[in-house]
Amino acid sequence: MSKIPVVLSSELLEGRTLARKAEGQALLLTRVGGCVYAVENRCPHMGLPLTRGKLDGKVVRCPWHGSRFDLSTGESLGWADSFAGVALPRWSHGLLAAGRKARALQAFPCAEEDERVWLELPDAGQHKAPNVR
Ligand code: FES
């Protein structure tokens, strides 16, 4: 694993999400309670982006079918139970899951240093600060 800069600290606002790509990996970055978090920006349910997901503290809800994930660990906290923000009856959740079982998001270790957010990505090569505007 190598540490690479992905965004300026000043760009990552409290309670907001930011989509970035690094080493071909789509990332969702957030800042909650002053701490920064980074997870894959691809919902494990159907592979759709979490960019417009709703934040509730450290939990992001997928905007498509409502799966919920802990941003600090990637843990799955709830699986497909709604459509575009509208709750669906319990009997339909299995149909919506379409045979896919709940799975965690990949969470990446990250930290702030030199006014940048740095991530540790598997198999990342050598990188210099110019990756960040
Ligand atoms: S794509 Fe995220 S819950 Fe379906």
Side-chain angles (χ1 to χ4, degrees):
M1 279 203 199
S2 294
K3 215 164 92 169
I4 62 170
V6 289
V7 68
L8 293 173
S9 291
S10 60
E11 293 180 90
L12 194 53
L13 304 178
E14 179 71 28
R16 305 291 295 269
T17 60
L18 198 58
R20 283 289 188 270
K21 241 182 178 180
E23 293 294 312
Q25 173 70 57
L27 301 164
L28 184 75
L29 304 161
T30 56
R31 180 189 299 280
V32 178
C35 297
V36 293
Y37 300 100
V39 294
E40 63 178 313
N41 190 12
R42 184 172 147 72
C43 180
H45 176 227
M46 290 190 171
L48 299 171
L50 294 164
T51 310
R52 295 190 181 191
K54 266 194 174 170
L55 282 180
D56 180 10
K58 291 190 308 181
V59 176
V60 64
R61 176 182 285 273
C62 178
W64 305 97
H65 311 111
S67 292
R68 296 178 301 115
F69 305 93
D70 183 320
L71 292 165
S72 62
T73 61
E75 179 187 2
S76 171
L77 303 173
W79 197 239
D81 62 2
S82 60
F83 184 78
V86 178
L88 296 175
R90 191 168 190 77
W91 62 262
S92 67
H93 296 180
L95 293 171
L96 187 60
R100 296 174 179 94
K101 296 206 186 298
R103 184 174 73 76
L105 287 173
Q106 186 172 9
F108 301 98
C110 58
E112 287 185 280
E113 195 179 306
D114 298 330
E115 299 179 22
R116 290 175 169 84
V117 176
W118 296 76
L119 293 194
E120 287 187 21
L121 291 174
D123 304 316
Q126 295 293 321
H127 299 275
K128 297 176 185 164
N131 285 350
V132 175
R133 284 177 273 151

